[in-house]
Every structure is written in structure tokens, then in C-alpha cells.
Amino acid sequence: MAIAEIFSPRTAGSNEAPRPIARAVDRTPDFSGEGMQALRSWVDEIATLTQPARIHWVDGSRAENEALLRGMVDEGRIIKLNPEWRPGSYLARSHPADVARTEGRTFIASEREEDAGPTNNWAEPTAMRAELEGVFAGSMRGRTMYVVPFSMGAVGGPLSHIGVQVTDSAYAVVSMSIMTRVGEAVTELIADGADWVRTVHSVGAPLAPGQEDVPWPCNDTKYVVHFPETLEVFSYGSGYGGNAILAKKCFALRIASVIGRDQGWLAEHMLLIRVIDPQGRAYHVAAAFPSACGKTNLAMLRPTIPGWRVETLGDDIAWIRPGEDGRLWAINPEAGFFGVAPGTGESTNVTAVETLWGNTIFTNVALRPDGDVWWEGLTDEAPANLTDWEGNAWTPDSGRPAAHPNSRFTVAAAQCPQIAEDWDAPQGVPLDVILFGGRRATNVPLVVEATDWAHGVFLGSTISSERTAAAEGTLGELRRDPFAMLPFCGYNMGDYFGHWLSVGNKLRFDRAPRIFQVNWFRRGSDGRFLWPGFGDNSRVIDWIIRRISGEVDAVESPIGRLPHTEDLNLDGIDVPQADLDELFAVDPASWLREADLTEEFYATFNGKVPAALQAELSSLRYRLKAAQ
Ligand code: GTP
Ligand code: SPV
Ligand code: MN
């Protein structure tokens, strides 16, 4: 252990010069250059503010990762699962009040309020910086501050971006090591002068000397703050998911969407797959569905129709850029999956079940007496005795779920049995199809084809979806979630709509991906899902691929193009004709009400919604009235 000279904290509001103090640093990377100087002084600055007891520069090695996990087990932070069933795997139980993203405490601190827009919480940056200095002052006392250099996308790739997260959570470090490419290759790029994004995370639970720690430290006060002009993130008070794995939603969506706006590309909340038809032709599909609305499931699709195959490329985020060939090229910037556990089972997502054979961190699922894990939907029948996600004894009669509805698994993408061989190719894949979807019990058909790019952007901008457990809020409440980006767009959503239109203008007319809207969640009047979903969603993909190949006609409807139901391959499943009719029913009266709501939604943007989308809304109304 080397001892580094660094400086004591500035107390908020004081002009006193910082005093040098000694702090343990276990090893600093051996790079020089101006970039390294900048990194070191930033780390010193954060340490000066947050006052950690130790600093650990993460090198990304396997030995380091194992030591971190062992240390967390010894400290009672995570439970090692029985290696006979789940080798190399662990269970973490969060604080019961720290279980999902906190959208109400997520801020965009842009210089102008208008640049955050009506869908974000705006904070004035100077005041927010002062507030954060107060909050972070001494927040890492008694803890280790880890310095985590990471790359989103292959290290050094043309579509990749790098960043550094400092955090006082070992759980965040081991999660980042799965979800991103962590290691000294990134530090070397920084040392050589590459641009990087600064992200700071503290659970907000400093330890006084001798104070006993808790397994999941966090703070009732939470902040997830983005400074889009300076490309910085500060997150405080939460150790969970997108609040703590800052490379994910904070960087790869909110900050990256701003970089994309300025550089002419798109950072999207989308899964990415390669679909291979029975003739062996490959198509690339990206799909935006809101949180907990089926991205991981579609990303790992096992088609139930013979001859079709799906290869997984990504399950949550896609970075998409117009290429010189007039097509859109996409990468998955992540390296792992942070997936919803409940509902993941042999009959719904067997690929995920196989992916989770080992080397997985589970959070807030139930523990079996034999040291394996369980959650609702993993098997049809619940085991007789479990320990629930809060650590209490549980039986099927307990009357509450054993796993938290937003319980999750964290696992390397490379472990997925159907991962595409070239899933981390730096240049990405060319897109053929873009899907927009949501969780809609009524109104929205199983599949609708957009008539052109502008109509597709209109469909994306009007997505609404019933709320899920992925974020705090009222379950089931219908809310607008344009492009599934409502909680993730780092700038004014009205400008974002315009950006989508301008990206479309850069594409060759015959090479732009075709856009479709899908809804796996329509329900009958008796409340049951009308569509079997999961593997059978391949039947919808099959129709979409035959549409873009010009093999089938569609039916014009006021809201877009629908399939002739006889063109859907329904061999081997039993969907009654009445259900099919209901799946594709378009009721002009209720769609006119949707159009009124869209008008109200658009009006919140103070004139920033592009004229082309307003025109789409007008012509939708015209077509609906004509159909009445
Ligand atoms: P995030 O990780 O929060 O972004 O979620 P996601 O969009 O990846 O959602 P995921 O695939 O994890 O699915 C969320 C929930 O929806 C799970 O409980 C699934 O079982 C369920 N689900 C996924 N696909 C379908 C489907 O086709 N039909 C039905 N009925 N449910 C589905
Ligand atoms: C989501 O909520 O869309 C997620 C989970 O993918 S989190 O990483 O917590 O944002
Ligand atoms: Mn997500």
C-alpha cells in the first residue's frame, strides 16, 4: 500500500485552503501523460470532497473481482449461492426502500431550463453543484472509494465512448465489471488524451470510526444528477440498478443522448437482435419498449415457428449512427444484462434461464433452502419453503411475493447461449427494422406498420404504457413514454423528436429501417392476454420480415398498416378468430380520444414538437373521422 498526498475536504461555503492529508491508496495505474494528470486530479478532487478511508483503482482483473466478491461475502453484504446449483453466483438483498430507479429524484442540470424540457426534472446547475457539494462532503468517510474506468462498446471502437465511475459501493463495482468493459486498457486511452465522462456515485452512508456497517448502506435522500454540458453524473443515496450502475441509464442514455444530438447519432432504450429466416437471410431488428415491457425477452427470443433463428446482440441499449452507405448502424454499448427476474422461466425465456447457470449476481430474489435462488415464474409451482427477498421465512401461503417485482439478475452477455458471434463488433450491425412498443391493455393492435419514417417517428413519439415496478410510482397507471425514453432522454424531448426526423433525412430512402409498432399486452374483456407472447412473438417478426421483403400485402387502417390475419403464421397455436379480431380492432372513437391526449401531450412542449409530427397528428384525425 502506498500513501498518497491528497487534500482534505473543502467545507461547503468556506474559502479555507484545503489541507493535505494522508490516505491509503492501494495501487495507482502506471501511466503518464496529460490525460492521466487530469484523471488523477479529478480523483483527488472527489476524494477531497467525499473523504474515503481508502482509494482502490480497479484494474478489471479476475483476481481483483474474486477478492471483491469474497470480501463482500465476509462482510455479510452478499450471500454465496450453492456452487453445486449456481457456481460463481451471489445473492444481494437491498434495503427495502432502495429497490428501483427513483425518477422523482433524477435531474437534468442543463444551463437553460428549456434544454431539459417538460419531461425532465430540471435543476439550475450552479445551485445544484453547491447542493451536491454539501451532500457529498464526507459521504465516503470510513469506506473505500473505487475508481472504475469503463468503456461502452468495444474498447477504442469507432462508436464507443469511455468514462470513469468513482463509487463507494463494491456491489456497484462488481456490477459494472459485468455490465461494461472495465480495465486498464481504458485508463490507457484516457492517459493518451481520449475524452471521457466523469461519474460519481456514493451510497451516502459514511461510517464513523468503530461504527458497524449494514449489508446495504443507502440514504433516504437521493440524487441522480446529470450535467449535460460538462458530461458529468453525480448519484447519491442509492445502491440500486440504474441509480448506481452509472454507465447504464445515466451515461449510455441520458448523457449519450446529448452527445448523440450534437454529433448526429441516437442513444436509444432498445434491444438489438439478428433474425435469421428459413432461407438463411439475416435481418437486424432494434426495439424500444419501456422498462419491464419485454426487451430482454425479445432479445433472447426462441422462435416457435420452424426454421427461424434469433441471435442476441443487446437487451437494453443501442447506439445508432447513420453510415456512409445511407443505412443506420447499431451497437449494444453494454457487456452484460441487468434483467428482470420475475416472469423469467422455462416457458417464457428459456435462453435467460440457461444464461443464468452461474457467474450471476442476483438482487432481491428469494433464496431456496438448498442455497439456490427462486422467483415468481421461474417454475410453475413455488418451492414449499423459501427465504424471501427481505430475508424472512416464506411459504406459498404467505400472501406476498417471494422475490421483489423489480428483482434482477446481472450476468455477462457472452454467457447467453444464443449471443451473436460478432455481438461486440466495433462497427455494429445495419438495421432493417425498428419496433416501438408498450404495455397497452386496450386500443393498440398487436402490430402496425408505419407508412414512412415521419409516421414511424410519430408512432414512437406517442407511445404510452402502463407503469411497471422498474421505477418508483403507481403500478399500471398509463403514462406517455415516447420512444421508451421518458426517464432517459437527457435533453428536451421535443428537440429529440426533431433529431429523430433529422437522422432519418441522412438515410438513403430505400435503406432506412422500416418502423413498426407492436403490443404484446392487449387484453380481452375478461382480462386475459389475447396474444400468447414470448416465443410466439416470432410470428409477428415473421410477418414483419415478409412485409419488408415485399412478400405480403397489408391492410390500410387509419393508424397504419395492419396484417391480413391470414398472413400471420399461426400453425401450432390456437388463437380463436374472435381474439384475432380483437387483437387488430381499431376503434375510431377511442383513437380520436388518443389523438386528443396526444395533442395535449404535444402542447406541453411549447411549440418544440416538429411541424411534421403535428401534421401526422392532423392526418391521423382526418383518417379516423373518415372511418367513423
Ligand atoms: P428493463 O430491463 O426494465 O428495461 O425491462 P425489459 O423491457 O427488458 O422487460 P423484460 O423482457 O424483462 O420483461 C418484463 C416482464 O414482461 C417480465 O415479467 C416478462 O415475463 C414480461 N413479458 C415479456 N415479454 C412478454 C410477452 O410477450 N407477453 C407477456 N404477456 N409478458 C411478457
Ligand atoms: C430499466 O428500468 O429500464 C432498466 C433497469 O433497465 S435500470 O438499470 O435500473 O434502469
Ligand atoms: Mn431498461
Side-chain angles (χ1 to χ4, degrees):
M1 274 213 179
I3 300 293
E5 279 267 287
I6 60 164
F7 294 95
S8 71
R10 274 164 289 154
T11 29
S14 116
N15 290 323
E16 209 183 302
R19 274 172 299 119
I21 54 160
R23 177 167 297 122
V25 177
D26 49 5
R27 191 192 52 83
T28 43
D30 197 14
F31 298 110
S32 50
E34 253 174 57
M36 198 62 211
Q37 287 281 317
L39 172 57
R40 280 215 183 87
S41 60
W42 176 73
V43 168
D44 283 355
E45 187 193 314
I46 303 301
T48 300
L49 175 65
T50 59
Q51 289 287 289
R54 290 166 298 279
I55 297 177
H56 177 107
W57 289 74
V58 172
D59 63 17
S61 67
R62 196 183 168 134
E64 175 188 65
N65 192 249
E66 280 169 6
L68 278 171
L69 288 164
R70 218 176 309 119
M72 288 166 74
V73 172
D74 292 345
E75 289 164 1
R77 299 181 193 287
I78 55 174
I79 295 166
K80 187 168 171 56
L81 298 175
N82 186 340
E84 203 177 318
W85 312 120
R86 216 56 82 162
S89 301
Y90 301 86
L91 168 64
R93 292 188 187 127
S94 80
H95 185 283
D98 191 23
V99 293
R101 284 182 295 100
T102 44
E103 294 178 6
R105 298 295 302 164
T106 300
F107 301 90
I108 303 297
S110 50
E111 274 154 27
R112 301 185 318 160
E113 181 168 6
E114 196 192 352
D115 288 333
T119 59
N120 281 312
N121 302 311
W122 178 70
E124 196 284 314
T126 310
M128 179 51 92
R129 248 178 227 285
E131 198 172 326
L132 288 174
E133 281 215 14
V135 167
F136 276 89
S139 74
M140 296 189 186
R141 247 183 222 127
R143 299 194 181 278
T144 300
M145 178 173 111
Y146 301 92
V147 182
V148 188
F150 62 89
S151 177
M152 301 308 282
V155 178
L159 307 185
S160 304
H161 286 267
I162 58 177
V164 178
Q165 176 167 341
V166 296
T167 176
D168 55 7
S169 159
Y171 170 85
V173 177
V174 294
S175 301
M176 286 282 291
S177 299
I178 296 174
M179 297 304 298
T180 75
R181 289 112 175 136
V182 168
E184 296 206 331
V186 178
T187 316
E188 196 172 355
L189 288 180
I190 292 173
D192 290 346
D195 289 333
W196 51 285
V197 172
R198 289 149 171 77
T199 74
V200 181
H201 173 238
S202 173
V203 294
L207 289 168
Q211 184 185 338
E212 207 183 314
D213 203 0
V214 292
W216 185 281
C218 59
N219 195 306
D220 289 343
T221 303
K222 293 179 172 55
Y223 288 85
V224 185
V225 186
H226 308 74
F227 293 91
E229 280 93 4
T230 49
L231 309 183
E232 291 170 282
V233 178
F234 286 84
S235 171
Y236 176 89
S238 168
Y240 206 87
N243 292 345
I245 307 168
L246 302 188
K248 195 172 175 56
K249 298 306 164 66
C250 298
F251 176 177
L253 288 178
R254 298 194 192 96
I255 294 290
S257 63
V258 173
I259 302 175
R261 173 197 64 190
D262 297 342
Q263 297 181 349
W265 53 278
L266 297 161
E268 297 300 322
H269 192 201
M270 288 180 174
L271 68 94
L272 190 59
I273 52 176
R274 174 178 298 135
V275 179
I276 300 157
D277 75 6
Q279 287 77 47
R281 290 175 299 195
Y283 303 86
H284 296 105
V285 180
F289 308 155
S291 301
C293 290
K295 285 183 302 302
T296 301
N297 276 268
L298 188 60
M300 298 183 180
L301 186 77
R302 288 259 175 118
T304 51
I305 42 177
W308 288 79
R309 269 193 314 123
V310 167
E311 293 178 357
T312 308
L313 290 153
D315 85 324
D316 198 53
I317 298 177
W319 285 354
I320 306 174
R321 201 183 275 260
E324 277 166 16
D325 57 357
R327 308 185 74 174
L328 273 182
W329 289 76
I331 62 163
N332 163 21
E334 301 191 278
F337 308 126
F338 181 61
V340 177
T344 304
E346 298 280 344
S347 59
T348 56
N349 188 351
V350 65
T351 303
V353 172
E354 290 173 8
T355 304
L356 304 176
W357 63 267
N359 307 325
T360 304
I361 299 171
F362 297 92
T363 306
N364 287 348
V365 301
L367 182 65
R368 293 166 49 111
D370 62 1
D372 197 5
V373 283
W374 190 84
W375 52 80
E376 280 70 19
L378 176 59
T379 53
D380 289 341
E381 234 171 276
N385 288 292
L386 292 170
T387 307
D388 73 8
W389 68 277
E390 292 191 86
N392 301 314
W394 184 96
T395 71
D397 305 323
S398 294
R400 59 176 197 276
H404 187 277
N406 192 38
S407 56
R408 300 232 170 205
F409 52 79
T410 313
V411 67
Q415 223 168 274
C416 173
Q418 65 192 65
I419 196 82
E421 201 193 340
D422 56 346
W423 72 276
D424 61 352
Q427 75 282 7
V429 296
L431 289 184
D432 300 290
V433 173
I434 291 175
L435 306 181
F436 295 119
R439 194 179 273 271
R440 289 296 306 266
T442 60
N443 269 12
V444 180
L446 180 63
V447 56
V448 184
E449 182 188 347
T451 46
D452 58 17
W453 185 266
H455 184 230
V457 172
F458 174 74
L459 293 181
S461 77
T462 57
I463 291 291
S464 51
S465 190
E466 291 140 25
R467 293 184 71 135
T468 66
E472 290 187 344
T474 315
L475 280 186
E477 182 184 72
L478 192 64
R479 70 164 181 182
R480 290 279 159 185
D481 194 347
F483 294 80
M485 283 288 279
L486 178 76
F488 306 124
C489 184
Y491 61 101
N492 190 307
M493 187 67 88
D495 292 334
Y496 168 90
F497 297 162
H499 186 53
W500 260 85
L501 292 170
S502 80
V503 166
N505 286 336
K506 292 189 199 139
L507 306 179
R508 252 183 61 170
F509 166 74
D510 56 337
R511 291 190 172 175
R514 298 263 288 269
I515 300 177
F516 296 77
Q517 180 175 17
V518 297
N519 176 25
W520 316 142
F521 299 95
R522 195 157 179 176
R523 292 177 191 260
S525 45
D526 52 0
R528 90 206 130 80
F529 288 119
L530 290 165
W531 179 247
F534 302 105
D536 288 319
N537 293 332
S538 57
R539 299 167 191 277
V540 176
I541 304 279
D542 158 79
W543 179 77
I544 288 171
I545 301 290
R546 284 186 289 129
R547 261 308 285 165
I548 68 168
S549 320
E551 291 167 31
V552 285
D553 290 333
V555 191
E556 300 289 339
S557 92
I559 62 169
R561 296 179 179 142
L562 302 174
H564 290 282
T565 49
E566 62 272 21
D567 285 334
L568 286 172
N569 180 347
L570 300 176
D571 292 349
I573 52 167
D574 183 25
V575 183
Q577 188 59 45
D579 284 10
L580 270 184
D581 293 343
E582 223 172 319
L583 272 168
F584 290 103
V586 176
D587 172 38
S590 46
W591 271 98
L592 279 165
R593 283 195 295 279
E594 297 251 352
D596 291 344
L597 295 174
T598 299
E599 181 180 344
E600 278 172 31
F601 177 60
Y602 277 3
T604 62
F605 291 95
N606 288 325
K608 269 198 184 275
V609 172
L613 298 190
Q614 298 284 9
E616 289 291 336
L617 177 59
S618 304
S619 51
L620 170 67
R621 278 183 161 142
Y622 176 84
R623 294 190 302 264
L624 287 167
K625 283 186 183 140
Q628 254 187 329

mmCIF file of all heavy atoms in Angstrom, residues 100 103-104 162 193 323 393 398 409 497 499 521 547:
data_model
loop_
_atom_site.group_PDB
_atom_site.id
_atom_site.type_symbol
_atom_site.label_atom_id
_atom_site.label_comp_id
_atom_site.label_asym_id
_atom_site.label_seq_id
_atom_site.Cartn_x
_atom_site.Cartn_y
_atom_site.Cartn_z
ATOM 1 N N ALA A 100 -35.535 0.335 -6.808
ATOM 2 C CA ALA A 100 -35.811 0.701 -8.204
ATOM 3 C C ALA A 100 -35.258 2.092 -8.478
ATOM 4 O O ALA A 100 -34.879 2.815 -7.551
ATOM 5 C CB ALA A 100 -37.318 0.685 -8.464
ATOM 6 N N GLU A 103 -37.177 8.112 -10.269
ATOM 7 C CA GLU A 103 -37.298 9.127 -11.326
ATOM 8 C C GLU A 103 -37.578 10.513 -10.747
ATOM 9 O O GLU A 103 -37.131 11.512 -11.307
ATOM 10 C CB GLU A 103 -38.384 8.706 -12.318
ATOM 11 C CG GLU A 103 -37.972 7.455 -13.076
ATOM 12 C CD GLU A 103 -39.026 6.944 -14.055
ATOM 13 O OE1 GLU A 103 -40.066 7.612 -14.247
ATOM 14 O OE2 GLU A 103 -38.792 5.868 -14.630
ATOM 15 N N GLY A 104 -38.278 10.558 -9.618
ATOM 16 C CA GLY A 104 -38.597 11.850 -9.000
ATOM 17 C C GLY A 104 -37.352 12.581 -8.507
ATOM 18 O O GLY A 104 -37.376 13.794 -8.303
ATOM 19 N N ILE A 162 -15.946 6.267 -23.539
ATOM 20 C CA ILE A 162 -15.409 5.796 -22.269
ATOM 21 C C ILE A 162 -15.770 6.740 -21.130
ATOM 22 O O ILE A 162 -16.153 7.889 -21.351
ATOM 23 C CB ILE A 162 -13.881 5.597 -22.326
ATOM 24 C CG1 ILE A 162 -13.176 6.890 -22.719
ATOM 25 C CG2 ILE A 162 -13.533 4.468 -23.288
ATOM 26 C CD1 ILE A 162 -11.659 6.751 -22.710
ATOM 27 N N GLY A 193 -5.131 10.794 -23.816
ATOM 28 C CA GLY A 193 -5.836 12.032 -24.171
ATOM 29 C C GLY A 193 -7.251 11.867 -24.685
ATOM 30 O O GLY A 193 -7.858 12.838 -25.143
ATOM 31 N N GLY A 323 -24.626 5.526 -41.366
ATOM 32 C CA GLY A 323 -23.361 5.182 -42.002
ATOM 33 C C GLY A 323 -23.234 5.862 -43.360
ATOM 34 O O GLY A 323 -24.208 6.409 -43.884
ATOM 35 N N ALA A 393 -38.745 -15.777 6.441
ATOM 36 C CA ALA A 393 -39.263 -17.090 6.033
ATOM 37 C C ALA A 393 -40.511 -16.886 5.182
ATOM 38 O O ALA A 393 -41.314 -15.974 5.427
ATOM 39 C CB ALA A 393 -39.594 -17.913 7.271
ATOM 40 N N SER A 398 -47.873 -17.334 2.111
ATOM 41 C CA SER A 398 -47.511 -16.087 2.789
ATOM 42 C C SER A 398 -48.300 -14.878 2.295
ATOM 43 O O SER A 398 -48.362 -13.865 2.984
ATOM 44 C CB SER A 398 -46.015 -15.790 2.629
ATOM 45 O OG SER A 398 -45.255 -16.751 3.306
ATOM 46 N N PHE A 409 -31.281 -9.982 -12.306
ATOM 47 C CA PHE A 409 -30.036 -10.734 -12.446
ATOM 48 C C PHE A 409 -29.040 -9.877 -13.219
ATOM 49 O O PHE A 409 -29.423 -9.078 -14.066
ATOM 50 C CB PHE A 409 -30.268 -12.075 -13.170
ATOM 51 C CG PHE A 409 -31.004 -11.966 -14.484
ATOM 52 C CD1 PHE A 409 -30.362 -11.564 -15.654
ATOM 53 C CD2 PHE A 409 -32.364 -12.279 -14.563
ATOM 54 C CE1 PHE A 409 -31.041 -11.466 -16.861
ATOM 55 C CE2 PHE A 409 -33.055 -12.180 -15.779
ATOM 56 C CZ PHE A 409 -32.395 -11.777 -16.923
ATOM 57 N N PHE A 497 -37.467 14.632 -30.717
ATOM 58 C CA PHE A 497 -38.315 14.222 -31.851
ATOM 59 C C PHE A 497 -37.723 14.771 -33.154
ATOM 60 O O PHE A 497 -37.650 14.075 -34.170
ATOM 61 C CB PHE A 497 -39.747 14.760 -31.694
ATOM 62 C CG PHE A 497 -40.504 14.240 -30.495
ATOM 63 C CD1 PHE A 497 -41.637 14.912 -30.040
ATOM 64 C CD2 PHE A 497 -40.108 13.086 -29.833
ATOM 65 C CE1 PHE A 497 -42.358 14.447 -28.941
ATOM 66 C CE2 PHE A 497 -40.827 12.608 -28.729
ATOM 67 C CZ PHE A 497 -41.946 13.296 -28.284
ATOM 68 N N HIS A 499 -34.656 15.546 -33.709
ATOM 69 C CA HIS A 499 -33.398 14.851 -34.004
ATOM 70 C C HIS A 499 -33.673 13.534 -34.735
ATOM 71 O O HIS A 499 -32.969 13.182 -35.685
ATOM 72 C CB HIS A 499 -32.623 14.636 -32.705
ATOM 73 C CG HIS A 499 -31.261 14.065 -32.905
ATOM 74 N ND1 HIS A 499 -30.339 14.619 -33.768
ATOM 75 C CD2 HIS A 499 -30.654 12.975 -32.367
ATOM 76 C CE1 HIS A 499 -29.229 13.891 -33.743
ATOM 77 N NE2 HIS A 499 -29.401 12.888 -32.908
ATOM 78 N N PHE A 521 -49.402 -6.943 -25.197
ATOM 79 C CA PHE A 521 -50.093 -6.939 -23.903
ATOM 80 C C PHE A 521 -51.585 -6.589 -23.991
ATOM 81 O O PHE A 521 -52.193 -6.249 -22.985
ATOM 82 C CB PHE A 521 -49.381 -5.965 -22.955
ATOM 83 C CG PHE A 521 -47.937 -6.335 -22.692
ATOM 84 C CD1 PHE A 521 -46.902 -5.766 -23.448
ATOM 85 C CD2 PHE A 521 -47.602 -7.264 -21.720
ATOM 86 C CE1 PHE A 521 -45.575 -6.100 -23.211
ATOM 87 C CE2 PHE A 521 -46.271 -7.607 -21.474
ATOM 88 C CZ PHE A 521 -45.251 -7.026 -22.220
ATOM 89 N N ARG A 547 -43.099 -8.591 -44.816
ATOM 90 C CA ARG A 547 -43.543 -7.267 -45.283
ATOM 91 C C ARG A 547 -42.377 -6.498 -45.908
ATOM 92 O O ARG A 547 -42.496 -5.977 -47.012
ATOM 93 C CB ARG A 547 -44.045 -6.432 -44.087
ATOM 94 C CG ARG A 547 -45.512 -6.366 -43.857
ATOM 95 C CD ARG A 547 -46.318 -5.965 -45.037
ATOM 96 N NE ARG A 547 -46.237 -4.545 -45.359
ATOM 97 C CZ ARG A 547 -46.635 -4.022 -46.513
ATOM 98 N NH1 ARG A 547 -47.149 -4.795 -47.459
ATOM 99 N NH2 ARG A 547 -46.527 -2.732 -46.737
#
